[in-house]
Amino acid sequence: MTKRIAVLVAISILVVGGSAFLGPSLSGARGDFIFWQLRLPRVLLGCLVGATLSLVGAVFQTLFNNPLATPSTVGTTAGAALGALSVLVFNISVEIEGLPFITLAAFAGALATSWVVAAVAGSGRVRVQDVLLAGIAVTLAATAIATGIQYLADMRALFAASQWSLGQLPQVGYRGVLVILPFVAVNAVVLLALQRPLQTMVMGEELATAQGVDVPRLRLIALGVGSLGVAACVAWCGPIAFVDLIVPHIVRLLLGSGMRRLLPMSFILGGAFLVACDTLSRLLLGGRELPVGVLTAALGAPALIILIARARR
């Protein structure tokens, strides 16, 4: 098992380290600009976003005892989409402290919907099924409001919203990396520290409570902190599908479901997976790029079906 982990870590390092060098050859001042201001920030951002989404997905799947649970389950993505769409429809183009208002609105929307579900989860009077139902209800409500706003939108706003919803990593410089890095760091430190109580949740809430785990408090911390990290990523990059679902399943298949391996390796492999997908989306069509969210969905859906079929066998 240790050898397998070492191989996976080595592959992840090679993928991340080599991705910035793939593509048309670089030379001169133009090549330096492309490498240091375009490709490298994009790789770093992909690492942070992929690692966060994958780690939170693994935690939520354990917390809800549901292999299909993701940040979308608690309304994070729907809330971010609602916030971003509102800005696009009403054509608000101001910046606050150098950040586009659409990013701040998406972040606020994601946090608002997620924390409603987190408050329900931390109340201590609900079962895990009730938390899932609350997440579905919040998602449906946010989606319904977003649909109503779309009805008022013109073609420009609808096109911009469609672009945002595909999820993309391209940027110039390191501002995006610096913006989401504090959220990613807090998210990783807190969630990785929850390995032991989450391990007891695998056997059910009753056993976890019997072993001294404060389940409502664990839910509140995991959902709140996890949603904070995902909200930052989605606000900056847009929703990127399937990373939070497929990578934890791959780790379970290769390394088992123990939290000491699942959470750290989901974090590492998630970053490498998204960077690999983004590199492929950058190179696949020659002079044009696919949004990375399109590629992760196209690869993730059949991969998940294969993993499920293999696990059942």
Side-chain angles (χ1 to χ4, degrees):
M1 188 65 69
T2 302
K3 184 181 294 186
R4 187 176 295 181
I5 292 174
V7 170
L8 291 174
V9 171
I11 292 174
S12 299
I13 293 173
L14 288 174
V15 168
V16 172
S19 294
F21 295 95
L22 296 177
S25 59
L26 305 175
S27 60
R30 181 172 179 271
D32 290 341
F33 176 82
I34 291 174
F35 181 83
W36 293 107
Q37 298 298 321
L38 297 178
R39 291 188 186 176
L40 188 58
R42 185 168 175 167
V43 169
L44 294 176
L45 186 66
C47 283
L48 295 176
V49 174
T52 301
L53 294 177
S54 180
L55 174 61
V56 175
V59 169
F60 282 14
Q61 288 165 20
T62 303
L63 194 66
F64 291 116
N65 195 23
N66 187 329
L68 298 179
T70 65
S72 299
T73 306
V74 298
T76 305
T77 303
L82 175 58
L85 184 62
S86 300
V87 172
L88 292 171
V89 168
F90 296 108
N91 198 22
I92 304 174
S93 57
V94 299
E95 292 189 357
I96 299 178
E97 298 295 329
L99 293 176
F101 195 71
I102 184 174
T103 300
L104 298 175
F107 181 73
L111 277 190
T113 52
S114 301
W115 277 87
V116 169
V117 181
V120 172
S123 65
R125 298 185 297 273
V126 294
R127 301 168 299 171
V128 66
Q129 294 89 345
D130 300 324
V131 180
L132 286 171
L133 288 174
I136 293 172
V138 169
T139 299
L140 291 175
T143 303
I145 296 173
T147 302
I149 293 176
Q150 283 182 317
Y151 183 76
L152 303 174
D154 56 18
M155 290 302 297
R156 175 205 58 81
L158 289 175
F159 180 72
S162 176
Q163 283 187 311
W164 181 88
S165 66
L166 294 176
Q168 302 186 55
L169 296 178
Q171 60 174 334
V172 178
Y174 297 86
R175 185 172 63 161
V177 175
L178 297 176
V179 166
I180 72 170
L181 181 59
F183 298 98
V184 172
V186 171
N187 181 81
V189 169
V190 173
L191 295 187
L192 290 174
L194 298 177
Q195 293 178 25
R196 182 173 296 180
L198 285 172
Q199 185 64 58
T200 63
M201 290 290 290
V202 175
M203 304 303 295
E205 293 185 21
E206 292 79 9
L207 180 60
T209 303
Q211 293 186 357
V213 176
D214 188 341
V215 173
R217 181 173 178 271
L218 176 63
R219 285 177 183 162
L220 180 62
I221 293 174
L223 289 174
V225 175
S227 299
L228 179 68
V230 172
C233 295
V234 174
W236 189 264
C237 303
I240 298 177
F242 271 101
V243 178
D244 46 11
L245 184 62
I246 191 66
V247 175
H249 281 280
I250 293 174
V251 175
R252 288 190 187 93
L253 180 65
L254 297 175
L255 303 176
S257 58
M259 293 299 111
R260 293 182 62 183
R261 294 186 295 269
L262 176 62
L263 298 189
M265 291 306 298
S266 293
F267 187 81
I268 294 171
L269 292 184
F273 177 79
L274 186 56
V275 169
C277 289
D278 184 59
T279 303
L280 185 58
S281 70
R282 178 166 56 86
L283 302 176
L284 194 61
L285 299 181
R288 301 181 64 184
E289 291 188 10
L290 279 174
V292 68
V294 173
L295 193 60
T296 56
L299 294 176
L304 181 61
I305 293 172
I306 293 171
L307 288 174
I308 294 172
R310 184 171 179 176
R312 291 193 177 278
R313 285 201 303 268

